[in-house]
Amino acid sequence: MDTLDAVNREIRDCRLCGLAKDRRYAVPGEGPSDARIMFIGEAPGYHEDQQGRPFVGAAGQFLESLLKGIGLSRRDVFICNVIKCRPPENRAPLPDELSLCRPYLDRQLTLIKPQVVITLGRFSMEIVFKGVSITKIHGIARKIDGVTYIPMFHPAAALHQPKYRSLIEEDFARIPAILAEIARLEAPPPPPAAPEPEPPQQLSLFN
């Protein structure tokens, strides 16, 4: 039977593409195996490669502050990337790297079974939203095969272009309402009310 630990071990030992030869650590991801919310970024950066953990650099610090703003922490969510090894100089992932790494992500999604998947950045968005611009659909929740997906800008975008910071903060601020709506829709219907007892009938003295 497949397990998250097995996937993590395979990722750490993976040599399927050329990224393996230059990495220090592969970065499988981290978080509860039954997390309700899963964040998917694009690829590890320098700090992630050095530590083998996702989102531990400046973008990760911003992500943690965003989570705190909606009453969550890293311990409450599962965080990973589409690509599990750092591309040289943080370049964009190549098509063959994306295709070779995709089965790992698919297995993580199958095992964790999150209710909500938040994609961070263009490459992670494209796992479900293909051929569309992130500027047009960011922050809009869509349910696909029973899972609610919310595409968002990558937190790193806010570090390079301040205009994205407010957009990311606004999108994150919608998450609690989306979670509440999911809970409302998935709540079992209330049991039917018991019928009202019939009032006692007075017996007639005459038949």
Side-chain angles (χ1 to χ4, degrees), residues 7-207:
V7 177
N8 291 346
R9 287 194 299 270
E10 289 180 40
I11 291 171
R12 293 189 183 101
D13 295 336
C14 182
R15 295 290 186 275
L16 291 176
C17 76
L19 294 180
K21 65 183 177 62
D22 293 321
R23 75 181 183 214
R24 180 172 185 184
Y25 292 113
V27 185
E30 65 182 29
S33 60
D34 60 350
R36 185 183 182 193
I37 306 173
M38 185 171 178
F39 286 86
I40 305 175
E42 298 190 342
Y46 172 80
H47 295 286
E48 291 74 21
D49 176 70
Q50 294 297 302
Q51 299 183 39
R53 299 180 59 214
F55 284 85
V56 292
Q61 293 172 12
F62 183 37
L63 177 61
E64 288 186 23
S65 71
L66 290 166
L67 287 169
K68 185 177 180 180
I70 57 171
L72 296 173
S73 73
R74 290 180 69 108
R75 294 186 299 274
D76 302 314
V77 302
F78 192 90
I79 305 173
C80 65
N81 289 295
V82 176
I83 295 292
K84 310 304 186 184
C85 297
R86 181 196 181 200
E89 306 301 322
N90 294 344
R91 63 158 169 75
L94 301 177
D96 68 313
E97 295 163 356
L98 289 165
S99 63
L100 288 169
C101 232
R102 178 61 187 269
Y104 294 131
L105 178 61
D106 289 340
R107 288 165 65 190
Q108 289 174 321
L109 285 163
T110 298
L111 290 164
I112 296 169
K113 296 181 176 62
Q115 288 181 304
V116 177
V117 172
I118 298 173
T119 64
L120 302 173
R122 178 169 61 90
F123 289 100
S124 60
M125 179 192 76
E126 288 179 353
I127 66 174
V128 284
F129 303 107
K130 298 185 182 297
V132 294
S133 170
I134 192 170
T135 58
K136 294 183 178 179
I137 67 170
H138 71 89
I140 300 174
R142 299 185 186 183
K143 197 164 190 176
I144 302 171
D145 296 331
V147 179
T148 299
Y149 289 86
I150 312 173
M152 294 191 184
F153 291 105
H154 196 286
L159 306 179
H160 304 299
Q161 299 188 54
K163 68 177 182 179
Y164 289 118
R165 188 179 187 95
S166 61
L167 292 176
I168 295 171
E169 290 171 341
E170 290 168 9
D171 288 346
F172 258 78
R174 297 190 189 104
I175 293 176
I178 293 171
L179 294 175
E181 178 65 8
I182 293 171
R184 184 186 71 80
L185 293 173
E186 295 184 352
E196 292 288 335
E198 293 185 6
Q201 294 183 349
Q202 184 175 358
L203 297 176
S204 172
L205 296 176
F206 303 95
N207 293 326

